[in-house]
mmCIF file of all heavy atoms in Angstrom:
data_model
loop_
_atom_site.group_PDB
_atom_site.id
_atom_site.type_symbol
_atom_site.label_atom_id
_atom_site.label_comp_id
_atom_site.label_asym_id
_atom_site.label_seq_id
_atom_site.Cartn_x
_atom_site.Cartn_y
_atom_site.Cartn_z
ATOM 1 N N PHE A 2 -27.777 -4.244 1.718
ATOM 2 C CA PHE A 2 -26.342 -4.385 1.970
ATOM 3 C C PHE A 2 -25.575 -3.858 0.771
ATOM 4 O O PHE A 2 -25.976 -4.114 -0.362
ATOM 5 C CB PHE A 2 -25.990 -5.868 2.143
ATOM 6 C CG PHE A 2 -25.493 -6.190 3.509
ATOM 7 C CD1 PHE A 2 -26.294 -6.881 4.415
ATOM 8 C CD2 PHE A 2 -24.228 -5.802 3.900
ATOM 9 C CE1 PHE A 2 -25.836 -7.172 5.676
ATOM 10 C CE2 PHE A 2 -23.765 -6.100 5.162
ATOM 11 C CZ PHE A 2 -24.571 -6.786 6.064
ATOM 12 N N ALA A 21 -9.419 -6.707 -0.365
ATOM 13 C CA ALA A 21 -10.103 -5.843 0.604
ATOM 14 C C ALA A 21 -11.549 -5.708 0.133
ATOM 15 O O ALA A 21 -11.791 -5.338 -1.023
ATOM 16 C CB ALA A 21 -9.436 -4.474 0.683
ATOM 17 N N TYR A 22 -12.475 -6.030 1.040
ATOM 18 C CA TYR A 22 -13.895 -5.985 0.690
ATOM 19 C C TYR A 22 -14.645 -5.287 1.811
ATOM 20 O O TYR A 22 -14.483 -5.633 2.981
ATOM 21 C CB TYR A 22 -14.433 -7.411 0.472
ATOM 22 C CG TYR A 22 -13.651 -8.102 -0.609
ATOM 23 C CD1 TYR A 22 -12.572 -8.944 -0.305
ATOM 24 C CD2 TYR A 22 -13.922 -7.839 -1.941
ATOM 25 C CE1 TYR A 22 -11.809 -9.514 -1.304
ATOM 26 C CE2 TYR A 22 -13.162 -8.407 -2.952
ATOM 27 C CZ TYR A 22 -12.111 -9.241 -2.631
ATOM 28 O OH TYR A 22 -11.349 -9.784 -3.618
ATOM 29 N N LEU A 48 -14.078 6.727 0.190
ATOM 30 C CA LEU A 48 -14.651 5.745 1.112
ATOM 31 C C LEU A 48 -14.076 6.051 2.487
ATOM 32 O O LEU A 48 -12.861 6.122 2.658
ATOM 33 C CB LEU A 48 -14.281 4.319 0.676
ATOM 34 C CG LEU A 48 -14.845 3.897 -0.687
ATOM 35 C CD1 LEU A 48 -14.212 2.591 -1.153
ATOM 36 C CD2 LEU A 48 -16.361 3.749 -0.604
ATOM 37 N N VAL A 50 -12.607 5.781 5.828
ATOM 38 C CA VAL A 50 -11.926 4.767 6.641
ATOM 39 C C VAL A 50 -12.379 4.813 8.097
ATOM 40 O O VAL A 50 -12.284 3.818 8.817
ATOM 41 C CB VAL A 50 -10.378 4.893 6.591
ATOM 42 C CG1 VAL A 50 -9.863 4.707 5.177
ATOM 43 C CG2 VAL A 50 -9.885 6.197 7.164
ATOM 44 N N ASP A 64 -0.371 -10.340 1.382
ATOM 45 C CA ASP A 64 -1.316 -9.654 0.484
ATOM 46 C C ASP A 64 -2.694 -9.468 1.112
ATOM 47 O O ASP A 64 -3.511 -8.714 0.585
ATOM 48 C CB ASP A 64 -1.404 -10.371 -0.875
ATOM 49 C CG ASP A 64 -1.795 -11.843 -0.757
ATOM 50 O OD1 ASP A 64 -1.433 -12.478 0.250
ATOM 51 O OD2 ASP A 64 -2.465 -12.354 -1.671
ATOM 52 N N HIS A 65 -2.952 -10.133 2.232
ATOM 53 C CA HIS A 65 -4.260 -10.009 2.888
ATOM 54 C C HIS A 65 -4.243 -9.141 4.137
ATOM 55 O O HIS A 65 -5.306 -8.772 4.633
ATOM 56 C CB HIS A 65 -4.799 -11.405 3.250
ATOM 57 C CG HIS A 65 -5.195 -12.196 2.048
ATOM 58 N ND1 HIS A 65 -6.500 -12.428 1.698
ATOM 59 C CD2 HIS A 65 -4.436 -12.770 1.077
ATOM 60 C CE1 HIS A 65 -6.547 -13.120 0.560
ATOM 61 N NE2 HIS A 65 -5.300 -13.355 0.176
ATOM 62 N N PRO A 70 -1.814 -2.520 9.485
ATOM 63 C CA PRO A 70 -1.092 -1.599 10.392
ATOM 64 C C PRO A 70 -1.135 -0.141 9.921
ATOM 65 O O PRO A 70 -1.455 0.740 10.720
ATOM 66 C CB PRO A 70 0.327 -2.181 10.418
ATOM 67 C CG PRO A 70 0.164 -3.627 10.072
ATOM 68 C CD PRO A 70 -0.992 -3.678 9.098
ATOM 69 N N SER A 77 -5.820 6.658 13.555
ATOM 70 C CA SER A 77 -5.364 7.343 14.756
ATOM 71 C C SER A 77 -4.980 8.789 14.439
ATOM 72 O O SER A 77 -5.338 9.718 15.162
ATOM 73 C CB SER A 77 -4.176 6.582 15.351
ATOM 74 O OG SER A 77 -4.015 6.848 16.715
ATOM 75 N N LYS A 82 -11.406 7.859 18.074
ATOM 76 C CA LYS A 82 -11.436 7.463 19.484
ATOM 77 C C LYS A 82 -12.260 6.191 19.651
ATOM 78 O O LYS A 82 -12.149 5.484 20.656
ATOM 79 C CB LYS A 82 -12.072 8.579 20.349
ATOM 80 C CG LYS A 82 -11.302 9.896 20.316
ATOM 81 C CD LYS A 82 -9.973 9.813 21.053
ATOM 82 C CE LYS A 82 -9.114 11.039 20.780
ATOM 83 N NZ LYS A 82 -7.727 10.699 20.486
ATOM 84 N N PRO A 91 -4.974 -16.910 14.637
ATOM 85 C CA PRO A 91 -3.933 -16.702 15.645
ATOM 86 C C PRO A 91 -2.761 -15.937 15.038
ATOM 87 O O PRO A 91 -2.386 -16.195 13.899
ATOM 88 C CB PRO A 91 -3.504 -18.127 16.012
ATOM 89 C CG PRO A 91 -4.659 -18.994 15.627
ATOM 90 C CD PRO A 91 -5.320 -18.330 14.465
ATOM 91 N N ILE A 93 -2.719 -12.543 14.669
ATOM 92 C CA ILE A 93 -3.108 -11.218 14.178
ATOM 93 C C ILE A 93 -2.759 -10.126 15.201
ATOM 94 O O ILE A 93 -2.247 -9.058 14.845
ATOM 95 C CB ILE A 93 -4.617 -11.171 13.807
ATOM 96 C CG1 ILE A 93 -5.038 -9.792 13.309
ATOM 97 C CG2 ILE A 93 -5.524 -11.587 14.957
ATOM 98 C CD1 ILE A 93 -4.491 -9.424 11.986
ATOM 99 N N LEU A 140 -18.781 -15.217 7.646
ATOM 100 C CA LEU A 140 -20.191 -15.211 7.270
ATOM 101 C C LEU A 140 -20.813 -13.986 7.935
ATOM 102 O O LEU A 140 -20.701 -13.811 9.150
ATOM 103 C CB LEU A 140 -20.857 -16.489 7.779
ATOM 104 C CG LEU A 140 -22.318 -16.697 7.401
ATOM 105 C CD1 LEU A 140 -22.497 -16.795 5.882
ATOM 106 C CD2 LEU A 140 -22.839 -17.973 8.066
ATOM 107 N N GLU A 242 -18.231 -24.670 -8.669
ATOM 108 C CA GLU A 242 -18.736 -25.952 -8.160
ATOM 109 C C GLU A 242 -19.155 -25.832 -6.697
ATOM 110 O O GLU A 242 -20.177 -26.383 -6.282
ATOM 111 C CB GLU A 242 -17.669 -27.044 -8.344
ATOM 112 C CG GLU A 242 -17.582 -27.507 -9.807
ATOM 113 C CD GLU A 242 -16.294 -28.252 -10.147
ATOM 114 O OE1 GLU A 242 -15.387 -28.303 -9.284
ATOM 115 O OE2 GLU A 242 -16.185 -28.756 -11.277
ATOM 116 N N TYR A 261 -3.558 -12.682 -15.145
ATOM 117 C CA TYR A 261 -4.669 -12.494 -16.085
ATOM 118 C C TYR A 261 -4.941 -11.016 -16.341
ATOM 119 O O TYR A 261 -5.246 -10.272 -15.408
ATOM 120 C CB TYR A 261 -5.943 -13.174 -15.566
ATOM 121 C CG TYR A 261 -5.733 -14.652 -15.346
ATOM 122 C CD1 TYR A 261 -5.685 -15.184 -14.057
ATOM 123 C CD2 TYR A 261 -5.526 -15.505 -16.427
ATOM 124 C CE1 TYR A 261 -5.446 -16.534 -13.856
ATOM 125 C CE2 TYR A 261 -5.276 -16.861 -16.231
ATOM 126 C CZ TYR A 261 -5.235 -17.366 -14.948
ATOM 127 O OH TYR A 261 -4.983 -18.699 -14.742
ATOM 128 N N LYS A 269 -16.313 -17.042 -17.931
ATOM 129 C CA LYS A 269 -16.984 -17.924 -18.900
ATOM 130 C C LYS A 269 -16.963 -19.377 -18.388
ATOM 131 O O LYS A 269 -17.982 -20.081 -18.407
ATOM 132 C CB LYS A 269 -16.249 -17.821 -20.248
ATOM 133 C CG LYS A 269 -17.114 -18.171 -21.444
ATOM 134 C CD LYS A 269 -16.302 -18.325 -22.715
ATOM 135 C CE LYS A 269 -15.857 -17.021 -23.321
ATOM 136 N NZ LYS A 269 -15.050 -17.235 -24.571
#
Side-chain angles (χ1 to χ4, degrees):
Chain A
F2 244 106
Y22 302 95
L48 296 169
V50 299
D64 57 328
H65 290 254
S77 203
K82 298 290 169 225
I93 179 70
L140 184 62
E242 284 162 353
Y261 301 109
K269 205 191 284 180

